[in-house]
Amino acid sequence: MKWHWNDAWKWKKVMLISITFLVFSVTFGDTMQSYASERLRDRNQNQGVPQADLTDMSVDDILKPTYGKTLGVYKEKGYKKAEAFEASLQADHYSAFGGVKPRTEAVEGTSSALIWEKDTEWLEWTIEVPEDGLYSLVASYYPLAGKRLPIQRELLIDGQSPFREAQRIYFTRNWMDAGKPLQNNQGDDVRPKQIEKPIWMETAIMDGNGLYSEPFQFYFGAGKHVIRMNYLVEAMALDEIRVTSPEQLPGYGEIEKGYETQGFEPVQQVNVKVQAENNPMKSDPTIRRESNGDPLMEPAGDGTKLLNAFGDWRWRKGGQRASWTFSVPKDGLYKIGMKFGQWWGDGLPSYRQILIDGKVPFQELAEYPFSYSRNWRIETLHKDTEDGDAQPLLMHLTAGEHTITMVAVVGPYQSIVENLTADTQKLSDLYRRIIMVTGPTPDPNFEYELGKKIPKLIDDLKIIADDLLVQMDALNAISEKEPSTVNSLRMMNHTFEKMIKNPDSIPRQISELSNSQTNLSTLLMGLQNVPLVLDYLLVSSPDTKYPKVKSNFFQKSVSTVKNFIASFTKDYTGVGSVYDKDQPAQATGPVLEVWVSRGKEWAEIMKEMAEEEFTPKTGIRINVNTLPAGQLNSGSVNTLLLAASSGKAPDVATGVDSHLPVEFAIRDAAVDLAQFPDYEEVSKRFLPGSLIPFRYNGGNYALPETQDFNVLVYRKDILKELGVQVPQTWEDTYAMLPILQQNGMQMYYPISSLGFMPFLYQNGGEFYQQNGAKSALDSPEAFQAFTEWTELYTNYKFPVAANFFNRFRTGEMPIGISDYLTYVLLSTAAPELIGRWGVAPSPGHINKEGKIDRTSGGVAQSVAIFKQSKHQKEAWEFLKWWTSKDSQVQFAQELEALLGVEARWNTANMEAFTQLPWPEDDLKALSEQLKYYKEQPYVLGGYFTPRNIDNAWNRVVLGGMNIRESLEQGVKDINKELRAKQKEFGFTPD
């Protein structure tokens, strides 16, 4: 009975609670519902865009549609090309301008050219067209001196940008070799400098990245229209802008009939050879002479490095062009052959647009394919007939001089690239919609029911999966064999198909979605690379037989033996000419040994610059040797330390870790640069904060060469979706974090001791006191800084480890603090983010003056002189020359010309830094951040400071230790090491 009474009592309690809740709900239900609605409404208002709208928002809501999509709309609407129209707009007859009024002056034979410089923000011209239709624009321009970048303008029609590519129109420059290659004392060719040769050029407005081989077409209705160009980058002179009917290229069949009608005959016994490396005119200084060791190259190296080819991997970007001039002895029909190599792309061809005397002669040369092969080949320009035969494409040439131009174009890959780009963006948006529900690390055991919570999730996945199949078929149709790109797309398709069949598995496969987006972006970059290498071109009579150019085993063996024999007499230890440093300096001048902790290309440019400028002015010659970067870092047994121990240290080392000069100074092995009378003047080239790590005991032991920086990078599209502003202070940042986290996103902040430095300096703290005798991290300012830093991870849940580059691309981390390397990666290796991200100064703290203090450091590399040098004064002359503005600008330009924007030089010379080709908006942000640059000092035992800061962080964030106790333990360990090192070296701080 007792059990029954207890059971009944429990039932009564349940009923009583239920009745009470019912009465409460009736009484206060409207109030509760209103409160919940207000919370949801506030959350959506904070994000700027209602939550329901976020899932439908695409990148096209933020960016203009591409030209390919716009052209499709033109076709759907039935727009036709305008017929037989041409009108010229003189550049100086503009209808309006913004900023400073442009001037006119005579430029290279043109009496009244319009000079368009930075102060003129925009120009407008008015044109009237007689009928509705599609028109092309042609500009006649002259590049003016600047930062060696392509000239860039934004184009608007009647106040609107017609498509995305019109927001950045490129006007290329002309480059050529300064002369023939010289030879160093090792018998190797030295690559000539690249010089600009500006000339008047007439070019149709078209895509500067080679995605579209035809000029842009713009729709004009009948009547008046306003053409406006906004200044973006670099100055130019303009003569005229022509509005014309789009050109319709004929097919070769039509041209061939014209040959017959006009009685043109093939020439006989003519074979003109043009060596491809012999100084072509080119649009980009990065495409250049290259060396190839094949024994049938012309000329062959035979044990030496000859620059005997042109192009190679550097001639891979769409829009890069090169032109060669040749002469033929008589009128007639010629065939054109090329000895080329195309062994990139795993089966996919590379494409070139081929122009004769500035014009594409027929459709077949608008996008000419160079098929894949592992060997050198010689091929006549031809088209494949229906029978599978190769029909030569003959050109009619008159006697005299002509020009052949080859432009890298993406060709048939354009539509594939555009579709895959759209897939990547859809996948990015889809991924962010998923993590809004699941978070970045979903619980594998929880059923999220994504198919119900995310509208159109399965439909969107199916659209992406189906489109991948279409692009796979398109790639297979282009290639002679199935390329690896198709296999990658097939694997992604299988992944998406599995998700479609089982939506509940998506949270467990969230990482595969992220990886698929990254892989798609990598494939996109690969498809837009169309490399080609040339040995020579042949303009010949059609009956000319070409030689065999594939080297056989015997020829390769002979070449190998020659290279082996040459190795006994060649000095491989240096770069370029190698001088005997043991010769008397009075006879030949002193020789400096310079070690470069970078790649060979960096060292080659330095050596060539020294041979051209430094040595002729000073009589001081240099030997340059390259070392792996890690060998000039402190904290390990490295080559430089071993060399110094054995008495064979170099005179100068560049690319040196910022801590190493003081390590050598402690041991009296580095030269105090302050002893030179002009040190103070030279040091003004750099930020005061960048000199801090090189000071020790009253001396200055190095000059900064490069410096890293930490800036805020952010996704414009995502912040716009969320309705948040770029944070200026850390208080702004803390206010933004809940909005990110509500949407499954995070902010990135580096976890190393460099992440502690901004908080320390912005709170008024320092690393050391009493000239490095003791740590200053026991101050209230340091405690506040350490608390704020660790609470990023304990309170605000910043990730303790993340690949920021990848997560920035996926949108998981739409904002974060980035270093120089990540900035360059985003600029060069994330094509899907073009126009969707920006740079701003790092957040700071409001100081006593009411201004934002953004003080932060970076990682500097330096150049130092060693005490073992017998030529210390000469070494100082080298340091002054090397760190000067002119040398740093030239080196940066040559390096970027050689390796591309991926190798942009982050020089520590601030005057040189501002003259490098940074994007204008980025330069403003970087310059603002660098005003607050301040490095960490280095003292005896200083290596223990970052180590113990990291240890203290680990104890708090990973171990849950009390903040004050952890920091105090770290300070205790730092001071113990500082005292031990001071005692070891007998150093008593002032």
Side-chain angles (χ1 to χ4, degrees), residues 169-188:
I169 300 294
Y170 292 89
F171 298 90
T172 60
R173 298 178 178 274
N174 266 327
W175 299 88
M176 60 187 304
D177 294 344
K180 293 183 178 180
L182 302 176
Q183 288 191 333
N184 59 35
N185 60 13
Q186 304 297 303
D188 295 333

Side-chain angles (χ1 to χ4, degrees), residues 956-976:
V956 172
V957 177
L958 304 182
M961 189 174 181
N962 178 272
I963 293 176
R964 184 175 294 278
E965 291 178 2
S966 181
L967 183 60
E968 287 178 350
Q969 181 178 330
V971 172
K972 181 179 178 181
D973 293 339
I974 292 170
N975 283 334
K976 182 179 179 181

Side-chain angles (χ1 to χ4, degrees), residues 632-634 655-664 689-695 701-708 754 757 858-864 933 935-939:
L632 296 188
N633 289 345
S634 61
V656 175
D657 174 76
S658 60
H659 292 166
L660 190 136
V662 169
E663 287 284 2
F664 273 72
S690 66
L691 297 167
I692 293 174
F694 313 127
R695 294 174 183 156
Y701 291 91
L703 294 177
E705 186 181 27
T706 65
Q707 60 194 20
D708 205 341
L754 289 175
M757 189 187 302
V859 178
Q861 289 186 314
S862 62
V863 53
Y933 190 90
E935 268 283 18
Q936 177 181 343
Y938 195 72
V939 300

